Amino acid sequence: IIIDLKTELNNVNLQLDRYNHTIREEAGIMSDLTKSLNDIKLLEITISELSPATGLIADSIKSFLVNYIDEVNDIINSVWSYRLDVMPYDIKDLDKGITYRFPVKAVEVDNSDDINNTSESMNEMISLAFRLVSLKYMGLELYPLMIDEFGRTMDEVHLIKSYDLLEEMVETMDTQMFVIAHIKTAYARFNNAGISIISNLNLEKM
């Protein structure tokens, strides 16, 4: 009887050890679970605050875009004969990914949902403005300007004002500009250039 009782007591002690071990494991799991839930809350707050659509990054992006686009529009409207404004894309759509689609608002023509859907002459002017402002923000104001057949689709008024702008920028920014142009209004503006090559090809003889 004593042997049987000792055996039973040993089995009970083994079960008690397993139970205590299980309790300790459960306590460890609950502690890990509590920590994980707290981490999830912190991550959710962090994600919300850093969201490109609603958080601090959104505010930063929106502030930057507003300033950037304002400078782009200043350049465009120093040339364009009627009000033509690029608009920052809707900040609430940033959570779907940055599309880089900028609507265009114009006074005398239909508005456009994106720069690429404007007329070719508008697109040339907008692209030039974006390039000039980008050079400024990247600290490359003294980087040579490469102008290839710029203004070929513009009417005479916009063409002249565009090259007025380019000429003024070269003089005030003390930078270089390389121009390829087959329009006399364009290349004749820079007759004081350091190097000027004017080619008048007779295509009928070629």
Side-chain angles (χ1 to χ4, degrees), residues 49-63:
E49 289 299 320
L50 297 180
S51 167
T54 58
L56 298 174
I57 291 179
D59 292 338
S60 177
I61 291 175
K62 184 174 182 179
S63 176

Side-chain angles (χ1 to χ4, degrees), residues 121-138:
S121 57
M122 289 179 183
N123 196 274
E124 279 194 278
M125 189 61 237
I126 293 171
S127 296
L128 176 64
F130 264 86
R131 192 191 334 171
L132 294 176
V133 175
S134 295
L135 289 175
K136 173 188 172 183
Y137 275 85
M138 292 188 293

Side-chain angles (χ1 to χ4, degrees), residues 90-120:
D90 197 337
I91 207 73
K92 71 176 185 295
D93 292 332
L94 289 179
D95 57 340
K96 303 173 185 176
I98 297 176
T99 63
Y100 299 101
R101 293 177 65 87
F102 293 86
V104 177
K105 182 179 179 181
V107 171
E108 296 190 6
V109 296
D110 292 336
N111 295 337
S112 173
D113 61 347
D114 184 50
I115 290 167
N116 289 327
N117 297 328
T118 59
S119 69
E120 193 170 351

Side-chain angles (χ1 to χ4, degrees), residues 5-18:
L5 289 175
K6 285 183 176 180
T7 301
E8 185 176 349
L9 178 61
N10 187 52
N11 290 334
V12 170
N13 285 330
L14 288 174
Q15 291 177 2
L16 182 61
D17 286 342
R18 293 193 191 98

